[in-house]
Amino acid sequence: MSRIEAKKPSLCTSEPLTKEVVSYSLSVLSGILKSCYGPTGRLKQLHNGMGGYVRTTSQSSVLLGGLSITHPVLKVLTASVQNHISRFSDCGLFTAILCCSLVENFQKINFAACTVTKISRHLLSLCIDYLKSEACVCRIAVDFDSIKTLLSLVHSVLASKPACMLNKTETNHISTLVLKAFLLTIPHTVETNVVLGRCVIVPVKDKRVMDSTVFPGLLIEVPAFQLARTFPIKRISSSTIKMALFCISMSGDISNTGEGTVIVHHGISLEVAVLDQLLSLGKQLVNDQVGLVVCQKVIHPSLKVYLKEHHVITIDRIGVSMMEPLSQMTGSQPIASLHSLSPTYYGSLKDLRTESFGSKHFLHLIPSDTLVCSLILCNRNEMAWDELKVACQTAEHVLQLTIKQPLALLGGGCTETHLASYIRHKSFTLPTSALKAIDCSWTQYQLVADAFCHSLECVARCLEHDDCEILTDTVYGHFWSVQSEFPSDCNWSDLVLKCGCGIYSKQQNLNWRVLQSQCTPFTPQSCSNESFVNSTDHLVLDCFTAKCSGLQVAVETANLILDLSYIVEDQN
Amino acid sequence: MLACARRAVSMASAASLDLGQLAQEAEALASAVRGALGPRGGQVLLTRPTGETLFTRDGRRVLEALSLAPPTARMMVACVSMHHSMTGDGAKTFIILLAKLLRGLQAVLDKREGSPFCEDIQRGERHQRSCHSLKQISQSIMTFQTLLLDHVMAQDLRKHFLSAFSNWEGEISRDTIESILEAYFCGRIGYSDQKLLSQLSSDFYYKCIPFKNDRNEMLNLVNEYFVELHFAVTGLPVSNSRILEGLILPRDFAVYCPAGGDIRILIVTESIHSALSAPGLEFVINAEAQYQASQIWITKRTEAIMKHLQNSNIKVLLSSVKQQEIVIYYAKINGISIVECLSSEEISLLCKITGISPFIPTWDNIHSEISETMIAKFCQPLVVGSKRFVHLGLTRTCTFQPHCVIFCGPVHGVTEQHASAFHGAFKMLQQLFKAVDLSDGCEVQSENPNNSSKAVHCSCDQQLKTCMAETEKQFIDSSWVGENPSSMTAKENTTTSVVSKEITAAKDFWKAGNPFNYEKSYKYTVQSYTNLVIQQGSVLPVGGNFEILLHYYLHSYAKQCQEPKITVVSTVIAEALLSIPKILYRTTNKNSFPQVYFKATSALRTNQQLPMSQQGLESVYCKYQLVVSVLHCLTKLLTIDLIIGIRRLPQKTEDNDSEDDL
């Protein structure tokens, strides 16, 4: 008889958004996220209070993964941001902050959820259509002929992660390395299906950031004593080493014998039989002039000794994760048979060297065709290294997304303020037919549009944490920041230098106003005069794909949350 | 007797059924879903013990998540679940209706004076008395459902039904399907994605089911294998949801060798590489050389099989089990792609749509020809989000055109909601193409004579017969008009007056000027068979029309009915039905409930078509089934006289329904 335990009845909450606990915890969460945003964002220290691992971070992926959130409404919000991050790596904080601000601002106007949803859907489609159209002036095309824009993209990603503890030269150095590593993974010959190679990050935690470097090919860590006993490698020609890659165990264990019984007569050793097979395999490898044998699993010591006597280098236990880049890089197919070796499945290497980094020793496998590279990443301490690693992976992902859709958005808050001015202008001049289609009044539309723009501007405002005043100009709708201690009689134009993304410097004909202050809607334009456009310095750029998707996810999630009428929590 | 029973179970807790308490429980359940009903309803957020969150407007999900303790409440939820899993719709309406009915019946019983259910027994215990009257009510409801409901549907409501079909062959136009689906999704998902999902599902319908002849069979297939025909991606905006041609297997290739042209595919359900010994067999090793030789033999055999597959031009192996590394190695050498670990459902779906059976490698067929293959246009990796899947485009298939839906959404809770709503929509479409037979219900009832309801039965039968005769006469004529208009002149001399009357009536109806422009998109089909209460594809406009119509006709029936018990029951049901439109029109100022109700009833009194405020259609069969299910649930509840708490699991019978274990 089984023990029956009564199920606890569920906890129900109706109209959850009107509850104080929701708005309070939402404001706490958005406060944490807002203070992390941007290059000057504040760092958060995560610890469990029981002597566990301490992590200092300002990145959304680490932060949201570390926070334990209990309220279901906030769970939805963080889950959708985390799903966004797992797809795009970038723009997590942007999505989260925008979503929080949208919920807060839409709640303030207090309309029926379906009206808000309909209008914000329309506004979102206005935004997305604009961003995807040729007329959009807050995006730039990425030119693959020069590395300038690509470098700006990487630089912006790294610079917005203050917990990496990089100074200016270090940021530049790492940006260059990340870009270099990425370029090494692009195949030389372009077919219809482009498959990018891999960049393997190798941790070296006791050296300076400036010692970080990129190697084409793979670095496999080996113990120092093994490195000391190297010998001249058997080569086919001066630039070719034949290699064999095995994905099965070569340890001489008995392979599976099926579900029936196997009877072994006395005096017969299956181990010997298998070892015989291994040694005959070794003989064939030697005959085929293989210079390097790599095995995913364990190689039997006797076979190792045999191969070593014949000047064949063996590397075993490299793990399943290294198999794909190895086979991609050398052209060798993983061999799964001990009985028949097809010579066509051998691969080739250009060279094999030994490298030492700090206290670590590596075998450096140099392929003839680079597709795989190793990025040796150094940083001062463990915490900063972890942060830097995530930042580099994000940057790599951003580059991969950019190669698919070669566009970038202006960063530094300029896209947000520009988009807000565009939406204000568009909603002001909305035709009545569109209003009829959405089934709402002009006033309703204006109020929702205003809350929407307000939320966008709120995200931009979060970029400044020090005592600064945020301005926006009335021509381009860009983001400008000034120190707040200024004499009351002075002109805005004496204080500003250049806009957030760095594309425009100050001009005579520009007028500024404080962000989020009342103004008449205007059409944001692009600059016709080339002389004001900055073309020398780094621009601040954001990943186009990630930001567009983040914008959509934020609006959709905010709508979902606003639409909630009831919560049923299972208490079991 | 009862006292004895009480003593016998005194160890456990026992309680008699209290109608007021039942009504209270049902009301509590109803209040949880009321907010989610109708196009203006909000979402409900459910959290599971595992911590995941789920958005839903699905009444069944909400009710099940409440996990209420009272056994009668759990029985109500079980009834809702049963109904929902059958029709894919109506869970919220079910519980609201049930709550209203219980409350209505309680009011009838409380009145006592003049109530037909309280006359019979004046003496005896209070409990016994109430128990008796409950039993009587439940019998009357049963009689009502089996006899009167069908009758009212056939006699009165039928003339209001519209047909979803655009012609006599039963073709269904895209507009109609879309308005049916949109009405469905209005009640099931958030506002912002309703349009998108109704378009997606009507696309899916037309892509998968290009010919109407095998419609029912194909809908069955879609419903049965929906899990295999969809998959979800989180972290992307909902607008990325789409339909893909072909099937998607949610895993990556074990080996992928690109191939062009027609790709021959084989299904295997066993490991190709054989082991040293098989179950029930012994393998004796006498010498080391023998062991080595047998290992080599096994390897050679695998090599030979793979070679043979290559020679037979097989390009892809779909395997339900994990294959050995050596098989993968030889597959790669021979240019064969392998997909492993297919679920048994996937295998059975593939077998069903291609009509092949799995290949079993034996020593004999290594050299014989392989016939059980399917052909695909393409079989390639597909990257969605950041995961790789197998995308399979089959060519030689049965009439079912395999397509699959990808649901995108910011969180898992949303994609799951969309997927279950999508599945529900196809269940609902299945119901749309069902018909209700009037004669069936009557026969079942007449074979099962019931003492207490005999009087009712007889009087009803009599009424019914006269009505039937009347309608029969009409419908013979009208079916004749519909099916063969050209032969009208031939029979004119006999039934001219009737026919012309029918035609003018139909014309008048069409002239009534409704927003749908029915002349073009829907034909008002006069029911062709007298024994069909609801014809295939019957629909009504949404917005509580069915409820208002049924309310109106039940009311007018109750006025002329001679049997007091039936009158009471019909009145209670008629009143309860109104609760649905009351909730639907609760917020809008322009269309408040009293206005809508007044307009509808005045239109009905003057024999006009109902005014319609919303675009959207719903299946009459679903609605009818809902009323029947609610009444069934109600009778089941009322026939219980004692609730006994026990300390161990109730013994389950072999073929138990979900209600049995309560």
Side-chain angles (χ1 to χ4, degrees):
Chain A
M1 204 166 80
S2 61
R3 215 170 83 89
I4 308 165
E5 200 168 328
K7 269 190 159 186
K8 279 184 220 149
S10 303
L11 182 73
C12 304
T13 326
S14 61
E15 302 296 330
L17 289 184
T18 53
K19 303 280 182 295
E20 202 163 299
V21 60
V22 175
S23 44
Y24 174 71
S25 36
L26 192 68
S27 72
V28 170
L29 180 71
S30 83
I32 293 174
L33 295 169
K34 279 174 181 170
S35 65
C36 289
Y37 195 47
T40 58
R42 306 295 189 241
L43 306 188
K44 302 288 170 283
Q45 196 174 53
L46 301 176
H47 71 105
N48 64 2
M50 288 182 286
Y53 176 70
V54 177
R55 179 86 192 247
T56 309
T57 190
S58 71
Q59 299 189 44
S60 52
S61 54
V62 184
L63 205 59
L64 293 178
L67 293 178
S68 51
I69 285 158
T70 46
H71 199 279
V73 171
L74 295 193
K75 255 189 206 163
V76 169
L77 200 155
T78 52
S80 84
V81 175
Q82 278 175 312
N83 287 332
H84 167 84
I85 295 167
S86 72
R87 293 273 167 270
F88 299 99
S89 299
D90 200 19
C91 296
L93 280 176
F94 165 80
T95 311
I97 297 171
L98 181 60
C99 188
C100 291
S101 317
L102 281 171
V103 172
E104 284 166 352
N105 285 322
F106 284 156
Q107 256 187 301
K108 268 181 215 155
I109 50 175
N110 202 15
F111 283 158
C114 71
T115 321
V116 174
T117 305
K118 274 185 207 153
I119 300 172
S120 61
R121 269 265 141 172
H122 188 252
L123 292 168
L124 177 66
S125 68
L126 281 181
C127 286
I128 297 297
D129 290 348
Y130 176 65
L131 289 174
K132 294 200 168 153
S133 73
E134 287 295 319
C136 175
V137 293
C138 62
R139 70 172 203 197
I140 58 169
V142 175
D143 179 10
F144 284 96
D145 287 341
S146 84
I147 60 160
K148 206 187 115 216
T149 17
L150 289 175
L151 205 56
S152 300
L153 264 170
V154 178
H155 194 273
S156 312
V157 172
L158 290 175
S160 66
K161 314 282 188 274
C164 296
M165 307 286 182
L166 302 181
N167 60 30
K168 207 160 187 184
T169 35
E170 287 168 343
T171 312
N172 285 337
H173 180 66
I174 297 287
S175 311
T176 323
L177 289 183
V178 169
L179 184 56
K180 200 171 152 190
F182 174 72
L183 294 175
L184 283 173
T185 62
I186 298 173
H188 294 299
T189 51
V190 176
E191 295 152 33
T192 45
N193 258 346
V194 182
V195 180
L196 291 182
R198 275 269 300 273
C199 167
V200 180
I201 295 180
V202 182
V204 176
K205 293 175 188 174
D206 47 4
K207 299 200 82 176
R208 293 180 310 131
V209 178
M210 294 306 282
D211 292 329
S212 306
T213 175
V214 169
F215 286 105
L218 270 180
L219 289 174
I220 296 173
E221 196 178 348
V222 285
F225 68 88
Q226 204 179 328
L227 216 57
R229 298 176 300 169
T230 46
F231 37 79
I233 306 155
K234 197 155 69 179
R235 292 165 193 268
I236 297 180
S237 68
S238 62
S239 65
T240 324
I241 300 167
K242 216 184 215 182
M243 71 163 280
L245 182 63
F246 286 88
C247 62
I248 49 163
S249 166
M250 299 169 84
S251 63
D253 49 359
I254 318 290
S255 58
N256 85 325
T257 51
E259 285 161 30
T261 33
V262 175
I263 298 168
V264 184
H265 282 240
H266 182 71
I268 293 167
S269 160
L270 293 186
E271 284 76 13
V272 172
V274 179
L275 191 59
D276 271 358
Q277 251 164 20
L278 278 177
L279 289 177
S280 69
L281 178 81
K283 199 177 273 173
Q284 198 188 339
L285 287 171
V286 172
N287 286 341
D288 287 344
Q289 293 197 305
V290 172
L292 174 69
V293 174
V294 183
C295 181
Q296 180 190 334
K297 295 168 183 171
V298 181
I299 301 179
H300 196 283
S302 312
L303 181 60
K304 269 190 186 170
V305 171
Y306 174 82
L307 289 173
K308 195 180 158 196
E309 282 166 0
H310 292 84
H311 295 271
V312 180
I313 297 181
T314 53
I315 310 173
D316 63 350
R317 294 185 240 203
I318 60 157
V320 70
S321 62
M322 291 292 250
M323 292 300 282
E324 204 196 324
L326 253 178
S327 102
Q328 203 175 19
M329 175 177 97
T330 59
S332 49
Q333 298 299 341
I335 300 167
S337 163
L338 295 180
H339 306 295
S340 66
L341 286 181
S342 169
T344 48
Y345 284 84
Y346 293 139
S348 66
L349 277 179
K350 194 170 159 196
D351 204 357
L352 185 69
R353 283 190 209 146
T354 55
E355 308 274 353
S356 297
F357 254 94
S359 56
K360 286 182 173 179
H361 304 280
F362 300 97
L363 268 180
H364 182 194
L365 281 64
I366 305 163
S368 36
D369 182 24
T370 55
L371 253 183
V372 176
C373 62
S374 303
L375 171 62
I376 293 200
L377 207 55
C378 314
N379 209 344
R380 288 173 200 92
N381 60 46
E382 180 101 21
M383 256 186 292
W385 187 87
D386 288 340
E387 190 78 359
L388 184 59
K389 186 194 169 195
V390 180
C392 288
Q393 283 170 338
T394 307
E396 195 196 351
H397 198 175
V398 164
L399 288 171
Q400 285 168 357
L401 291 171
T402 309
I403 215 169
K404 272 191 208 153
Q405 194 164 20
L407 292 170
L409 285 172
L410 299 178
C414 287
T415 295
E416 288 86 347
T417 50
H418 177 89
L419 214 51
S421 336
Y422 174 79
I423 290 298
R424 283 229 166 81
H425 169 73
K426 268 278 168 186
S427 61
F428 202 69
T429 56
L430 194 74
T432 39
S433 60
L435 284 176
K436 203 161 258 171
I438 312 167
D439 187 26
C440 68
S441 70
W442 194 81
T443 328
Q444 282 176 326
Y445 193 91
Q446 291 307 313
L447 280 169
V448 176
D450 200 51
F452 189 89
C453 297
H454 200 79
S455 309
L456 275 173
E457 287 169 343
C458 178
V459 179
R461 188 170 271 280
C462 292
L463 279 169
E464 282 302 338
H465 305 279
D466 305 308
D467 211 8
C468 278
E469 193 65 67
I470 315 270
L471 309 178
T472 177
D473 65 89
T474 52
V475 178
Y476 313 122
H478 273 220
F479 172 101
W480 309 73
S481 76
V482 289
Q483 289 297 319
S484 62
E485 285 106 23
F486 48 83
S488 53
D489 58 336
C490 98
N491 223 335
W492 289 126
S493 59
D494 300 336
L495 297 159
V496 296
L497 283 171
K498 60 180 183 179
C499 70
C501 66
I503 201 164
Y504 298 122
S505 40
K506 79 172 166 196
Q507 297 156 35
Q508 284 308 314
N509 59 340
L510 282 186
N511 282 317
W512 286 273
R513 63 180 179 85
V514 174
L515 193 67
Q516 293 179 338
S517 63
Q518 286 297 319
C519 75
T520 49
F522 62 96
T523 336
Q525 291 151 5
S526 69
C527 185
S528 47
N529 191 342
E530 287 291 320
S531 64
F532 295 120
V533 179
N534 166 6
S535 54
T536 51
D537 269 355
H538 274 315
L539 298 178
V540 177
L541 295 177
D542 283 334
C543 177
F544 181 82
T545 327
K547 201 149 198 168
C548 282
S549 183
L551 179 66
Q552 295 179 60
V553 164
V555 177
E556 280 177 6
T557 312
N559 282 337
L560 276 176
I561 291 173
L562 289 170
D563 198 8
L564 282 180
S565 67
Y566 213 82
I567 296 180
V568 179
E569 281 176 85
D570 198 321
Q571 301 278 295
N572 294 298
Chain B
M1 262 242 350
L2 192 76
C4 287
R6 278 205 173 148
R7 224 168 295 135
V9 293
S10 64
M11 299 294 284
S13 63
S16 61
L17 193 78
D18 179 18
L19 197 55
Q21 201 187 329
L22 276 187
Q24 229 171 35
E25 283 166 13
E27 273 164 4
L29 288 171
S31 71
V33 294
R34 185 173 288 125
L37 184 79
R40 290 180 161 266
Q43 301 249 37
V44 179
L45 183 67
L46 307 179
T47 66
R48 297 209 174 122
T50 48
E52 32 178 348
T53 49
L54 178 68
F55 282 94
T56 193
R57 286 183 65 196
D58 176 348
R60 175 195 178 177
R61 279 255 166 93
V62 177
L63 293 179
E64 283 175 355
L66 288 175
S67 50
L68 282 191
T72 37
R74 286 194 346 236
M75 182 169 158
M76 290 174 205
V77 174
C79 285
V80 172
S81 301
M82 268 284 280
H83 171 75
H84 184 92
S85 62
M86 206 166 66
T87 58
D89 198 13
K92 286 168 283 187
T93 318
F94 187 111
I95 198 76
I96 292 170
L97 211 53
L98 185 65
K100 273 283 163 206
L101 280 173
L102 285 167
R103 196 49 90 190
L105 289 176
Q106 196 209 4
V108 168
L109 280 189
D110 282 352
K111 248 197 294 177
R112 282 286 169 84
E113 305 295 311
S115 162
F117 298 105
C118 301
E119 288 165 356
D120 297 6
I121 305 181
Q122 293 303 330
R123 61 206 154 67
E125 262 183 86
R126 202 188 122 261
H127 168 78
Q128 216 170 334
R129 218 163 47 222
S130 82
C131 187
H132 178 76
S133 42
L134 284 183
K135 176 83 184 156
Q136 285 210 325
I137 292 178
S138 98
Q139 271 166 356
S140 311
I141 290 172
M142 219 48 221
T143 321
F144 170 85
Q145 187 249 307
T146 44
L147 288 172
L148 282 172
L149 185 63
D150 284 1
H151 165 66
V152 171
M153 296 285 289
Q155 169 84 352
D156 302 315
L157 256 76
R158 184 155 61 167
K159 56 178 176 273
H160 296 278
F161 298 163
L162 309 168
S163 175
F165 301 137
S166 50
N167 60 16
W168 287 102
E169 275 87 53
E171 298 277 3
I172 188 158
S173 78
R174 210 185 173 90
D175 290 347
T176 319
I177 279 276
E178 247 171 55
S179 52
I180 293 173
L181 287 169
E182 206 173 325
Y184 178 81
F185 284 115
C186 266
R188 287 295 297 275
I189 57 172
Y191 315 108
S192 45
D193 313 320
Q194 287 163 1
K195 195 94 195 164
L196 183 89
L197 245 80
S198 58
Q199 255 154 25
L200 211 60
S201 50
S202 69
D203 273 357
F204 191 70
Y205 177 84
Y206 282 103
K207 279 184 174 159
C208 286
I209 308 167
F211 310 107
K212 65 150 185 77
N213 297 344
D214 0 74
R215 184 163 54 202
N216 286 340
E217 194 189 328
M218 296 301 112
L219 280 173
N220 277 340
L221 195 79
V222 169
N223 283 330
E224 189 178 350
Y225 292 104
F226 189 70
V227 178
E228 282 69 42
L229 295 175
H230 85 275
F231 82 124
V233 183
T234 54
L236 295 178
V238 176
S239 50
N240 287 19
S241 301
R242 60 189 179 274
I243 292 171
L244 278 184
E245 195 192 346
L247 292 175
I248 288 180
L249 307 174
R251 56 185 65 66
D252 197 5
F253 285 97
V255 195
Y256 176 59
C257 306
D262 278 355
I263 300 166
R264 298 230 298 165
I265 300 176
L266 199 65
I267 296 179
V268 287
T269 50
E270 299 173 12
S271 179
I272 287 177
H273 186 71
S274 55
L276 217 49
S277 62
L281 291 180
E282 279 184 357
F283 182 80
V284 183
I285 298 174
N286 294 317
E288 279 147 25
Q290 182 213 352
Y291 174 70
Q292 283 176 352
S294 49
Q295 286 285 7
I296 290 170
W297 183 84
I298 291 172
T299 313
K300 291 282 180 219
R301 179 180 174 273
T302 305
E303 191 180 355
I305 293 174
M306 298 309 284
K307 196 87 203 158
H308 177 57
L309 294 182
Q310 190 205 13
N311 291 339
S312 316
N313 207 14
I314 302 289
K315 292 289 182 209
V316 180
L317 269 185
L318 301 178
S319 163
S320 61
V321 293
K322 185 148 177 60
Q323 297 289 345
Q324 304 263 340
E325 275 149 340
I326 188 132
V327 176
I328 293 179
Y329 171 63
Y330 282 118
K332 186 125 202 174
I333 292 179
N334 290 309
I336 298 172
S337 308
I338 294 187
V339 186
E340 295 175 320
C341 307
L342 268 77
S343 66
S344 56
E345 288 84 10
E346 283 166 336
I347 297 276
S348 92
L349 173 65
L350 285 169
C351 291
K352 204 160 192 169
I353 58 181
T354 54
I356 68 163
S357 52
F359 169 76
I360 297 159
T362 59
W363 190 239
D364 308 326
N365 68 7
I366 284 187
H367 302 291
S368 61
E369 203 186 322
I370 300 168
S371 56
E372 296 282 329
T373 60
M374 49 188 171
I375 312 259
K377 264 183 290 185
F378 56 83
C379 179
Q380 64 206 19
L382 172 82
V383 179
V384 183
S386 50
K387 284 192 194 130
R388 271 158 57 105
F389 300 103
V390 177
H391 190 190
L392 197 65
L394 299 169
T395 48
R396 199 202 289 158
T397 56
C398 62
T399 43
F400 178 67
Q401 299 286 316
H403 281 80
C404 56
V405 207
I406 301 180
F407 294 105
C408 299
V411 275
H412 173 74
V414 174
T415 54
E416 196 175 325
Q417 181 187 23
H418 287 179
S420 77
F422 202 94
H423 193 187
F426 276 84
K427 276 189 192 161
M428 182 271 296
L429 284 182
Q430 220 174 355
Q431 306 299 311
L432 178 68
F433 301 119
K434 282 187 181 163
V436 176
D437 214 340
L438 180 63
S439 53
D440 278 3
C442 285
E443 271 160 29
V444 171
Q445 181 61 28
S446 53
E447 277 168 12
N448 183 18
N450 202 318
N451 284 338
S452 65
S453 65
K454 202 150 199 176
V456 184
H457 194 150
C458 292
S459 68
C460 285
D461 254 4
Q462 227 163 19
Q463 282 184 12
L464 209 64
K465 267 177 199 153
T466 50
C467 301
M468 287 277 280
E470 211 172 293
T471 45
E472 219 156 310
K473 205 174 98 206
Q474 278 180 11
F475 285 122
I476 288 165
D477 299 329
S478 46
S479 70
W480 173 86
V481 172
E483 277 173 350
N484 199 353
S486 60
S487 66
M488 203 152 68
T489 44
K491 282 201 173 182
E492 220 163 34
N493 47 357
T494 55
T495 55
T496 324
S497 57
V498 184
V499 170
S500 57
K501 219 165 76 187
E502 284 286 321
I503 291 173
T504 44
K507 274 184 184 162
D508 282 347
F509 167 67
W510 287 116
K511 273 178 196 160
N514 48 53
F516 271 93
N517 197 4
Y518 285 91
E519 277 118 315
K520 268 188 200 161
S521 47
Y522 318 107
K523 279 203 178 120
Y524 177 74
T525 55
V526 184
Q527 312 276 331
S528 358
Y529 305 102
T530 43
N531 58 343
L532 285 183
V533 176
I534 301 170
Q535 218 188 11
Q536 265 193 33
S538 297
V539 287
L540 267 177
V542 290
N545 272 334
F546 177 84
E547 286 85 0
I548 294 179
L549 282 172
L550 192 55
H551 162 84
Y552 179 81
Y553 287 115
L554 281 182
H555 236 311
S556 44
Y557 179 84
K559 270 181 209 158
Q560 45 176 293
C561 182
Q562 266 108 58
E563 181 58 44
K565 285 179 187 171
I566 295 295
T567 312
V568 170
V569 167
S570 333
T571 320
V572 168
I573 294 172
E575 287 308 320
L577 280 166
L578 272 193
S579 61
I580 303 299
K582 265 182 197 160
I583 296 173
L584 288 179
Y585 295 107
R586 63 185 177 243
T587 45
T588 36
N589 302 326
K590 282 175 271 177
N591 270 331
S592 67
F593 172 70
Q595 283 171 315
V596 170
Y597 179 66
F598 176 73
K599 269 188 216 159
T601 40
S602 51
L604 286 173
R605 255 182 230 123
T606 50
N607 277 328
Q608 280 173 351
Q609 187 61 6
L610 281 184
M612 271 168 293
S613 54
Q614 277 153 316
Q615 304 247 327
L617 299 166
E618 57 192 350
S619 154
V620 175
Y621 182 84
C622 280
K623 285 281 166 190
Y624 168 80
Q625 201 60 45
L626 177 73
V627 174
V628 171
S629 298
V630 172
L631 293 180
H632 262 290
C633 178
L634 189 62
T635 43
K636 218 183 289 178
L637 282 170
L638 295 182
T639 41
I640 298 172
D641 85 321
L642 202 63
I643 300 159
I644 305 167
I646 53 171
R647 296 236 168 77
R648 57 196 183 91
L649 282 175
Q651 309 278 298
K652 286 193 181 181
T653 47
E654 284 299 302
D655 52 343
N656 56 347
D657 288 324
S658 55
E659 289 103 306
D660 283 355
D661 49 8
L662 283 167

